[in-house]
Amino acid sequence: MQRHVLTFALSAVWVAGCASGWPDVDRFQLPTLKTHPNASAVVLDEATQLAYHPGEKGPHATLRRTQRVVILKPDGASAATLYDSYSSSFQRVKSLRARTIAPDGTVEEFGASDVSDRPANEAGVLYMDYRVLQRRFSGLAPGTVVDWEVVLEDWEPTWRQYKTAFGAYHPVARSSLEVVVPASWRIEHLSTLEWAPVAFEPEVTTRAGQKVFRWVKENLEKVRSEPSGPRFFDVVPVVSVRLRAWTHAGQTHEAFATPEEFARWMHDVQSETTTKNAALEDTVKKILADVGPDPRAKARALYEWVQQNIRYVAVEVGIGGWRPHDALTVFEHRYGDCKDKANLLRTMLEIAGIESYLASIYSHRGLPRPFGLPGVGNSNHAILAVDLPDGLVLVDPTSRVVPFGALPPNDQGADVLVIHPEKPRIVRSAWSTPADNKKTLRIELEVDGEGPGADGRARVEAFGLFDWSLRRELTQSAVGEHSKMFKNAIRMRDVDANDPKFDAKDDGVYATAKVRVAKIGTQAAGRLVVRPIEFMYSPGRSLNAPRRTQPVVFGCPIVRETEVVLTHEGRHAAALPEPVELDSPYASYRQSWHREEGRLILRSRYERKATRVPAKEYDRLRAFFDAVVSARSQSVVLKAEAKS
Amino acid sequence: MSGLRILALSLVWAAIGCASSLKPVLVASPQSLRPDPADYPDDDAVVLQREVKGLLVRPRSGPDRSQWLYHEVVAVLTERGRDRVDFRLPFNRDTKIIGFEARTISPTGQITPVSQDEIKDDEGRSSDDTGYRVRTFAFPKVEVGSIVEFSVVTEVPGLTSSSFNFISGDFPTKSYRVEVEGTSDIYYSVKSYNVKGAEPWSVENAGVGWRLKWGIDDVAAKSKEAFRGPAKAHEPYWLFSVKAVGGSGGQVFQWNANWANSYEYRAKELYKKRDDYFKDTDIKVDMSSCQDARCKVVTALDWLKTKLPFRGFTGYPGRKAKKVLNNGEASDSEKARILHKVLADHGIESRFAFYHQYLNGRVDKEFPERSSMRNLLVYVPKQNGLDAPLWIDPVCEYCALGQLPAWLRDTEALLIDYEYEGMDTQPTWKAEFVPVTGQGFPKRTWTGRYAATVAENGTVDVKFEIERKGPFAQKAYRWIRKDSDEKWQTTATNVVKARIKSAQVVAQKPYVFDSATWTARRALEFRAEQFAVKDGDTMILPLSFLNLGFDDDFKSDKRTRPVYLRWPTDDHEIVDIAAPPGYVVKTTPSSAEKSGPISVRIEVTNTERTVRIHRSVRVTPGRYEPASYSEIRAAVELLRGIKSEAVTFERAAVSSR
């Protein structure tokens, strides 16, 4: 680390940049808290430069990322963090540097040894060849400018694409991508917002015999982290770029022209991984011993075996990010990642005489990403397309609980690239319907003599994703946790569940338990005011912010039906609130109170119809949820019955 | 430790030749350890055996080294346990793995070793250029009912000067064994804590050295109960330290022989290498109007409060002074170090002292070691202009001079001092435990004042003011410095929705901080449509909107560990309710109170048209045995009980009939 102090007595411009290769800083042009009162830092410039050039064995790429940030508040230093990642199998760090310029002009410079370079530790991945470069800058005074630059060299750029996001969790004054390519080479690019194509074209120029493509955005608002919001990449403009045609050793080469061509390449990469031996064949035989000749039944049995017996462990190195470990290794170890599990199932199906194909998909969090430019970079997950007499069936054996024929929520509504050797294609998986994902709760409570607590029994019936999540918990948890699971399943406040019983049937999970609700209302002057909001959670609770910049991501449509039956010895309900019916394009809610055979009954039905709600509809959505809260805040007064 | 490296070997240990190595061990008959899952209904796995072995090696030639063996045998009881048995061992760049074995034993006893191909070794570098390595692998063929076992031997250069080990983990442990071996020229201390009923450590001769052995069976998983206090207070652990090592010619080098030894490194950092910490800084505090020491201390503290407000506890050593000054906020030890410098620059003598916060750690005064105290205080001895010594924790920005914060209750701090003896050019370091005295302790108080009016249709309008004092105000002061307008709006909504889900914020202002009284206040207004319920001529106002600390605590009817109440809390909720037009007060909840570790008081007063409810909770800090739990719970039940009650009003005309 070097340190020197700059003097700028005659000039307000910090001129350090000239000698050191950093661009100049004009301190009079820097944003301040006056110009950005709500920002703790401003990204002055974030730039990516991707330069393709000929290499000895084929095209290389140099990827240069730079960022300049000015800190406005003490907690703004996080905006300046140097953060980048690279694959040690295909890339190396060519250079790495950073500097800080304090308000008094003191410059500190940082080199590679000041930046951490460590194996990536991604959730769910045991080991991978991705590495993370990181340098946090703490203790920076407001007014400090931080520059950093990372240069990577990539020696396998032809089958991969680069995605550049425009935006940050802080305001960005200027964000740019520049792609430089020899004049005779071609690139392909795609601009998207929320993964839908948008018109955001580059400026194209020529420089020293090379074509230069430049995308620029200025004055971007900061990206907010909002509850039930999409991920960062899902809400900012993204430009994807890939090399489309190049020359090497006098020959012209072209990248995949279509997703289908890419699928054929993937098929080659994944070939010779369906290894078999007698033990595996014997296992298939045993699994299918009592299964009839129906191919679907056979496929289901093998799918369930892989689901339950192969532990999810991801180890991905180099091409191993796309090529599964051979089936026998996975079978021997009894562990593997998504493509390992899918490939083992493919191999077992093959032994059983059933064709199937690996398929690439982007496992999303409610916001599917359509397939973009042909090539690697469109998917993060592998599933299997099973060729059955009645058509292709998509299955995801990584899931431990989703039944054969269904897909987990993260795979729904998504583009799936079926890696078929002859007929590769993209198909779109279906979203489930509200009726598929239904939970019903019936709770019968006897109100305490004194109130406000009540005891009784509850029964939950869970289908679709509710079934899967409960079933997953059930298979995962210790017996001692079942009461807690039941409490979570019924979504009620201050409830104790005892003696829970779960029955996981083919069509759903059915559960019952004894329950005690600590408080169903308020007591006063011989009355008990029953108010559902006191003991039932309401949907949309996290959407409290006054404004919204991003869509609200719901994911799968669902239905929740609740019936609360209150027995209240010696009391009677004076009047019942009117039924409530709320409807919006995104969700609906019905609620009604009834008196039946001396019991008080509340029935409600909440249906979430949309998978996402645009930000511009946020006020309307909030109004809907506020109306649900108001409905649940309605009360029924239970009064002691007059003695005759 | 490196400064104490022994350069020559004495005959005593030259003869040892004990440089035998630790070897990975595996259980001979793992099937015999298989547990009955019914004994562990709440657990995903059980550690059947955990073994730690240390060998402090002093070879005839070559540098000293230490070897440590970790051996663990775990039974997988649930699917979730099955997902948690992957192995990732990060270790220092200087550490080598010199022995390694791992295997899976299936429920039927079939053994599958982890093969070399499955092990991934990698390395990384942190931004201070410290390197580390990491070994990663997954156990093969794991199913529910499997046993997984690993044994790893590491070697580090030099002698391990101290070792601190918690015994309990995420899963219960059936058998825990530890063994440490060294040569007779290594003088050690060893002790275990929170291990009622366990056998004492045994010492046996091992060649020309010693071997320590100890073990304990049936250790529960780490407690997850709320208010359980620091792990050191109740979880079993053991400490080992090297007190001294012999050198050539019978010389003995003291490492952790006493507290001054243990803290020598830090003492040098604080006093002798102070310039490193303050490099490139120029702190100037104007004390021109001060004539005496007291004034200078007060001025220094005022400057610190204003220029470097508290950012949170980070412990020793904190960031370099330049970063702190740039950042404009300081942590506990940063404040203490800067205060000491400012005082020194103005001729005020002061010393540092290490401590741990009240009920938030544990120090065994008989066992010198460095890990138990990470917080820093400043001690100003009696001197010209100061009649009595002063203990100062500059974190306590709301404390008057001489006043102590709550976390210094019953504290003995380790005062680090030095003196030059005779013609010595190097100081002699001194460390002694000294009771921290002063006036104390300012409470942290939170007061919520509600002025509620009820309309005839049941709509309730509330003017709500929150007042925070002491540490609570300090927290609000930080929010004021950081939060945006939008954040204030969002927190206002959260505050209101936490009281009445259907309420809407009508107006809100951010906290206003009064530095003279260290008070932060925030005003909100909210409205809840038809929150009060009409039933004929009666209007019922539920008190479910009350919301005070502890309302959601101590709901469980069981308690296994003592309850630790660290803060002298004094929280109040004062609700003034005006009857709806045309109504008079009919019924109110009763006043009640309960004293104990948590004292609760509910005071209800009313006139014909108004009701005042004053709910308060006071905490007497302390450690309370599980036997006291029912008393604590009863108080909290009383506190929250009123939330299930209501105030009722009756039409005035009806009342008069």
Side-chain angles (χ1 to χ4, degrees):
Chain A
M1 196 192 302
Q2 292 177 313
R3 189 193 305 262
H4 54 272
V5 179
L6 294 175
T7 53
F8 47 95
L10 297 177
S11 165
V13 177
W14 287 324
V15 291
C18 302
S20 58
W22 296 107
D24 293 346
V25 179
D26 181 351
R27 62 191 294 261
F28 285 140
Q29 295 299 316
L30 293 178
T32 62
L33 276 175
K34 276 188 184 160
T35 58
H36 293 76
N38 283 327
S40 49
V42 174
V43 179
L44 299 170
D45 193 8
E46 56 172 19
T48 303
Q49 189 190 55
L50 170 64
Y52 290 103
H53 45 84
E56 244 177 65
K57 294 178 181 170
H60 276 213
T62 304
L63 197 58
R64 179 172 176 267
R65 292 197 184 98
T66 60
Q67 194 186 63
R68 168 170 289 177
V69 171
V70 60
I71 311 299
L72 301 183
K73 288 184 188 172
D75 62 339
S78 63
T81 299
L82 181 161
Y83 187 91
D84 210 339
S85 65
Y86 68 101
S87 157
S88 57
S89 298
F90 308 116
Q91 294 171 317
R92 74 179 179 90
V93 180
K94 273 184 83 172
S95 67
L96 200 57
R97 61 179 185 148
R99 71 165 181 179
T100 59
I101 311 175
D104 65 0
T106 308
V107 176
E108 270 191 77
E109 294 194 353
F110 304 87
S113 62
D114 302 312
V115 176
S116 75
D117 179 352
R118 55 183 163 77
N121 194 359
E122 272 189 23
V125 179
L126 183 66
Y127 182 75
M128 66 197 304
D129 60 351
Y130 265 81
R131 298 182 68 83
V132 169
L133 302 168
Q134 191 170 25
R135 166 82 205 191
R136 289 194 177 91
F137 299 94
S138 64
L140 299 179
T144 302
V145 173
V146 183
D147 280 305
W148 61 256
E149 177 192 75
V150 175
V151 183
L152 302 174
E153 188 182 7
D154 191 325
W155 54 87
E156 290 270 1
T158 57
W159 47 279
R160 307 213 311 281
Q161 59 182 296
Y162 301 89
K163 292 184 194 292
T164 303
F166 290 73
Y169 286 113
H170 299 270
V172 177
R174 187 176 190 276
S175 180
S176 65
L177 165 67
E178 185 180 270
V179 180
V180 183
V181 66
S184 61
W185 295 14
R186 276 191 294 134
I187 62 161
E188 189 178 12
H189 51 85
L190 173 67
S191 301
T192 52
L193 180 63
E194 293 180 23
W195 302 109
V198 288
F200 177 28
E201 290 301 315
E203 177 197 44
V204 185
T205 55
T206 306
R207 189 169 67 201
Q210 301 205 302
K211 277 187 284 189
V212 180
F213 300 77
R214 190 178 292 116
W215 291 258
V216 180
K217 287 225 178 253
E218 290 181 338
N219 300 323
L220 296 165
E221 258 199 66
K222 73 173 182 182
V223 176
R224 287 149 201 279
S225 182
E226 295 177 334
S228 303
R231 292 197 241 188
F232 175 80
F233 262 76
D234 293 338
V235 289
V236 293
V238 173
V239 174
S240 306
V241 176
R242 69 173 186 138
L243 196 54
R244 181 69 179 85
W246 64 95
T247 52
H248 176 65
Q251 298 277 313
T252 300
H253 300 265
E254 293 224 359
F256 323 112
T258 60
E260 290 74 20
E261 214 175 293
F262 167 65
R264 285 193 188 93
W265 177 84
M266 281 284 280
H267 183 265
D268 291 346
V269 167
Q270 295 171 342
S271 65
E272 296 175 14
T273 54
T274 54
T275 49
K276 307 174 189 80
N277 66 5
L280 181 59
E281 285 169 359
D282 196 38
T283 300
V284 172
K285 213 167 155 184
K286 280 183 187 155
I287 296 165
L288 300 182
D290 297 325
V291 179
D294 175 21
R296 193 180 184 92
K298 286 183 181 179
R300 179 196 304 270
L302 294 171
Y303 167 80
E304 286 171 356
W305 188 90
V306 172
Q307 263 189 318
Q308 286 151 27
N309 290 280
I310 306 300
R311 193 159 69 91
Y312 182 86
V313 174
V315 176
E316 295 172 355
V317 180
I319 199 70
W322 297 275
R323 177 185 161 90
H325 291 92
D326 69 82
L328 278 181
T329 301
V330 178
F331 176 66
E332 286 299 320
H333 291 160
R334 295 288 202 277
Y335 67 71
D337 66 6
C338 54
K339 57 190 177 298
D340 295 334
K341 292 183 82 167
N343 186 55
L344 175 61
L345 177 57
R346 170 166 75 137
T347 309
M348 295 173 86
L349 287 165
E350 201 173 293
I351 293 168
I354 299 168
E355 281 281 302
S356 63
Y357 318 102
L358 292 177
S360 294
I361 185 172
Y362 192 88
S363 174
H364 57 82
R365 286 194 192 165
L367 208 63
R369 293 184 186 184
F371 201 86
L373 298 177
V376 161
N378 291 299
S379 62
N380 62 358
H381 187 43
I383 60 173
L384 198 68
V386 185
D387 202 349
L388 293 177
D390 51 348
L392 274 189
V393 176
L394 298 173
V395 296
D396 185 347
T398 297
S399 146
R400 300 270 265 275
V401 291
V402 174
F404 186 85
L407 285 176
N410 296 2
D411 294 351
Q412 294 182 14
D415 280 359
V416 181
L417 180 67
V418 180
I419 304 170
H420 190 291
E422 287 93 35
K423 289 186 243 166
R425 57 194 177 276
I426 292 177
V427 295
R428 182 159 292 180
S429 62
W431 280 108
S432 47
T433 65
D436 293 330
N437 304 311
K438 185 173 169 183
K439 182 153 78 178
T440 63
L441 164 67
R442 183 180 160 84
I443 181 161
E444 291 187 37
L445 295 170
E446 187 167 341
V447 180
D448 292 353
E450 297 296 312
D455 287 290
R457 292 198 71 82
R459 177 180 171 82
V460 175
E461 298 179 359
F463 308 97
L465 70 90
F466 292 116
D467 165 355
W468 308 332
S469 96
L470 208 49
R471 198 178 291 257
R472 187 167 198 280
E473 275 191 79
L474 200 56
T475 52
Q476 292 253 306
S477 55
V479 177
E481 290 170 295
H482 285 189
S483 290
K484 196 173 152 196
M485 269 175 59
F486 191 89
K487 278 166 63 173
N488 291 341
I490 63 175
R491 293 166 57 87
M492 294 181 79
R493 293 176 209 278
D494 277 349
V495 65
D496 269 338
N498 287 304
D499 195 20
K501 293 197 170 48
F502 290 88
D503 186 4
K505 294 183 176 172
D506 281 351
D507 67 331
V509 174
Y510 299 78
T512 58
K514 289 180 193 163
V515 291
R516 165 146 188 92
V517 180
K519 185 184 170 193
I520 58 160
T522 306
Q523 54 190 340
R527 294 167 171 88
L528 181 64
V529 180
V530 178
R531 189 169 249 158
I533 198 82
E534 299 276 355
F535 56 91
M536 292 166 75
Y537 288 112
S538 214
R541 293 190 306 282
S542 64
L543 303 176
N544 278 342
R547 76 178 186 110
R548 181 94 186 175
T549 61
Q550 298 162 14
V552 176
V553 177
F554 281 151
C556 288
I558 56 165
V559 170
R560 277 197 212 108
E561 288 179 352
T562 305
E563 185 174 79
V564 181
V565 181
L566 292 175
T567 310
H568 39 89
E569 194 76 22
R571 298 170 192 250
H572 74 278
L576 300 184
E578 290 297 309
V580 173
E581 291 205 7
L582 304 168
D583 208 0
S584 82
Y586 314 110
S588 63
Y589 181 74
R590 316 254 180 286
Q591 177 184 296
S592 57
W593 290 90
H594 308 267
R595 256 183 301 232
E596 289 176 12
E597 297 167 1
R599 298 175 306 171
L600 181 64
I601 299 175
L602 168 70
R603 295 193 178 103
S604 70
R605 183 179 195 276
Y606 168 65
E607 179 175 331
R608 205 173 65 197
K609 298 180 272 191
T611 58
R612 68 164 143 169
V613 180
K616 65 179 188 324
E617 291 290 302
Y618 178 65
D619 288 346
R620 200 169 162 190
L621 184 69
R622 252 188 104 193
F624 170 81
F625 285 129
D626 282 347
V628 174
V629 169
S630 293
R632 290 198 169 181
S633 300
Q634 289 180 344
S635 49
V636 172
V637 179
L638 292 176
K639 265 201 288 205
E641 282 163 355
K643 286 177 184 164
S644 57
Chain B
M1 192 173 104
S2 58
L4 296 168
R5 183 70 52 78
I6 295 159
L7 300 175
L9 304 177
S10 77
L11 286 176
V12 179
W13 25 272
I16 295 169
C18 78
S20 58
S21 274
L22 292 175
K23 300 271 185 284
V25 289
L26 292 175
V27 172
S29 52
Q31 283 293 77
S32 65
L33 299 176
R34 199 167 286 286
D36 180 354
D39 293 339
Y40 302 94
D42 297 330
D43 300 298
D44 293 325
V46 54
V47 178
L48 302 171
Q49 198 170 308
R50 180 175 283 149
E51 192 177 9
V52 179
K53 279 187 181 177
L55 176 65
L56 308 184
V57 182
R58 314 199 69 196
R60 287 194 186 92
S61 60
D64 300 342
R65 60 187 196 273
S66 305
Q67 295 180 352
W68 289 93
L69 173 143
Y70 305 93
H71 174 216
E72 207 157 295
V73 189
V74 179
V76 175
L77 302 179
T78 67
E79 288 277 334
R80 192 168 49 205
R82 187 174 83 140
D83 287 343
R84 289 181 61 179
V85 295
D86 296 330
F87 184 98
R88 183 177 274 134
L89 176 70
F91 49 95
N92 195 288
R93 184 191 273 161
D94 295 337
T95 305
K96 284 188 294 188
I97 291 183
I98 58 169
F100 184 81
E101 300 269 2
R103 60 184 185 170
T104 305
I105 300 111
S106 77
T108 57
Q110 191 193 347
I111 292 174
T112 310
V114 172
S115 74
Q116 197 59 41
D117 296 346
E118 294 159 57
I119 297 169
K120 305 288 176 197
D121 284 328
D122 207 338
E123 57 186 25
R125 183 191 66 224
S126 52
S127 54
D128 61 359
D129 208 17
T130 311
Y132 69 95
R133 299 167 206 257
V134 61
R135 170 161 289 194
T136 309
F137 70 87
F139 285 97
K141 290 190 176 175
V142 183
E143 51 193 302
V144 173
S146 292
I147 290 173
V148 295
E149 180 178 19
F150 74 85
S151 181
V152 57
V153 181
T154 62
E155 184 175 280
V156 287
L159 296 180
T160 302
S161 66
S162 64
S163 179
F164 172 87
N165 299 270
F166 273 117
I167 295 165
S168 51
D170 291 343
F171 310 127
T173 304
K174 262 191 87 63
S175 161
Y176 184 93
R177 295 289 176 270
V178 53
E179 216 175 282
V180 185
E181 191 177 325
T183 50
S184 53
D185 59 321
I186 300 172
Y187 304 93
Y188 62 83
S189 298
V190 71
K191 200 165 176 182
S192 40
Y193 299 84
N194 305 323
V195 289
K196 216 172 172 182
E199 293 290 316
W201 287 76
S202 69
V203 189
E204 57 187 48
N205 289 329
V208 288
W210 43 262
R211 184 183 295 124
L212 302 167
K213 281 185 169 179
W214 183 75
I216 184 170
D217 292 336
D218 296 318
V219 179
K222 272 187 300 197
S223 169
K224 290 177 186 159
E225 286 176 327
F227 299 93
R228 64 183 172 277
K232 269 184 159 184
H234 54 82
E235 297 294 349
Y237 69 98
W238 59 274
L239 273 172
F240 167 85
S241 82
V242 173
K243 285 163 67 176
V245 289
S248 57
Q251 211 177 351
V252 173
F253 294 86
Q254 293 189 333
W255 287 13
N256 288 300
N258 54 49
W259 287 97
N261 279 158
S262 292
Y263 276 75
E264 185 173 326
Y265 186 79
R266 287 185 184 176
K268 283 179 179 166
E269 277 182 333
L270 288 168
Y271 295 112
K272 304 308 290 180
K273 297 181 184 168
R274 202 180 67 182
D275 289 350
D276 285 352
Y277 183 77
F278 288 96
K279 200 173 171 190
D280 296 328
T281 62
D282 182 19
I283 300 174
K284 285 199 165 56
V285 181
D286 179 11
M287 296 203 185
S288 54
S289 58
C290 281
Q291 304 299 319
D292 59 25
R294 186 181 178 85
C295 171
K296 288 179 180 175
V297 171
V298 170
T299 306
L301 284 169
D302 281 346
W303 177 87
L304 206 55
K305 248 188 255 196
T306 315
K307 298 287 181 193
L308 298 171
F310 182 53
R311 65 189 275 259
F313 286 99
T314 60
Y316 186 81
R319 301 165 300 169
K320 288 277 171 75
K322 185 179 178 197
K323 287 196 166 176
V324 177
L325 292 162
N326 277 346
N327 186 229
E329 291 185 326
S331 72
D332 49 337
S333 56
E334 292 162 358
K335 272 181 168 264
R337 295 179 83 168
I338 292 170
L339 175 65
H340 176 269
K341 154 94 172 152
V342 171
L343 294 179
D345 286 351
H346 292 88
I348 309 295
E349 196 189 331
S350 68
R351 292 286 179 266
F352 290 105
F354 283 93
Y355 75 101
H356 75 77
Q357 295 184 347
Y358 175 65
L359 298 182
N360 197 24
R362 176 174 188 162
V363 174
D364 179 355
K365 282 159 62 176
E366 306 303 315
F367 200 112
E369 52 88 33
R370 215 164 57 188
S371 68
S372 47
M373 288 175 285
R374 292 188 65 225
N375 298 114
L376 208 52
L377 279 178
V378 174
Y379 173 75
V380 184
K382 184 178 166 182
Q383 54 196 287
N384 188 21
L386 210 56
D387 298 339
L390 275 176
W391 285 97
I392 302 174
D393 189 338
V395 169
C396 190
E397 294 165 322
Y398 46 86
C399 287
L401 195 66
Q403 212 173 19
L404 298 177
W407 57 81
L408 286 174
R409 182 185 293 265
D410 299 343
T411 298
E412 283 191 282
L414 185 68
L415 187 65
I416 309 290
D417 206 346
Y418 60 90
E419 64 182 21
Y420 291 92
E421 287 172 359
M423 302 295 285
D424 281 356
T425 53
Q426 293 301 316
T428 301
W429 298 104
K430 295 183 161 187
E432 63 170 329
F433 282 96
V434 180
V436 178
T437 52
Q439 297 147 19
F441 306 91
K443 287 176 181 168
R444 56 176 198 174
T445 65
W446 183 99
T447 304
R449 290 189 180 84
Y450 303 74
T453 54
V454 185
E456 206 177 351
N457 68 353
T459 294
V460 179
D461 284 292
V462 181
K463 286 187 176 167
F464 181 44
E465 189 196 67
I466 304 170
E467 182 185 275
R468 307 168 72 104
K469 289 191 171 204
F472 279 155
Q474 202 166 26
K475 207 175 241 180
Y477 182 38
R478 189 144 202 256
W479 295 334
I480 292 168
R481 299 198 302 270
K482 291 186 181 307
D483 286 356
S484 63
D485 291 348
E486 199 170 317
K487 184 84 185 280
W488 288 116
Q489 285 177 42
T490 304
T491 55
T493 308
N494 292 342
V495 164
V496 168
K497 298 275 181 192
R499 286 163 174 78
I500 302 179
K501 300 276 177 287
S502 60
Q504 300 292 333
V505 178
V506 174
Q508 66 88 18
K509 286 180 187 162
Y511 272 104
V512 175
F513 180 69
D514 176 4
S515 61
T517 57
W518 272 82
T519 306
R521 286 192 186 85
R522 184 171 197 195
L524 302 160
E525 285 178 40
F526 59 91
R527 165 175 287 197
E529 302 280 354
Q530 297 178 21
F531 180 69
V533 182
K534 261 170 96 169
D535 180 30
D537 289 330
T538 302
M539 178 80 79
I540 305 161
L541 176 66
L543 296 173
S544 54
F545 62 88
L546 297 176
N547 192 315
L548 207 53
F550 294 110
D551 270 342
D552 291 320
D553 296 317
F554 303 113
K555 287 188 173 172
S556 169
D557 53 4
K558 291 178 201 142
R559 183 80 193 184
T560 62
R561 303 286 166 106
V563 177
Y564 280 73
L565 300 172
R566 293 181 51 212
W567 295 92
T569 302
D570 188 5
D571 291 352
H572 298 260
E573 218 172 14
I574 302 161
V575 190
D576 287 311
I577 306 163
Y583 283 77
V584 293
V585 176
K586 185 180 175 191
T587 65
T588 64
S590 308
S591 297
E593 68 183 299
K594 211 164 201 42
S595 300
I598 294 180
S599 296
V600 169
R601 186 179 165 92
I602 293 166
E603 205 177 341
V604 184
T605 52
N606 69 284
T607 64
E608 192 178 45
R609 294 222 2 102
T610 63
V611 178
R612 167 169 278 208
I613 297 167
H614 185 166
R615 194 168 76 126
S616 64
V617 56
R618 285 189 178 82
V619 172
T620 307
R623 174 190 188 273
Y624 298 97
E625 293 300 325
S628 309
Y629 179 66
S630 56
E631 190 186 357
I632 292 171
R633 189 165 176 241
V636 175
E637 290 288 349
L638 175 70
L639 181 77
R640 63 174 155 250
I642 194 169
K643 293 179 65 168
S644 302
E645 298 190 48
V647 171
T648 61
F649 304 95
E650 195 174 33
R651 273 194 193 283
V654 172
S655 168
S656 62
R657 250 201 314 266

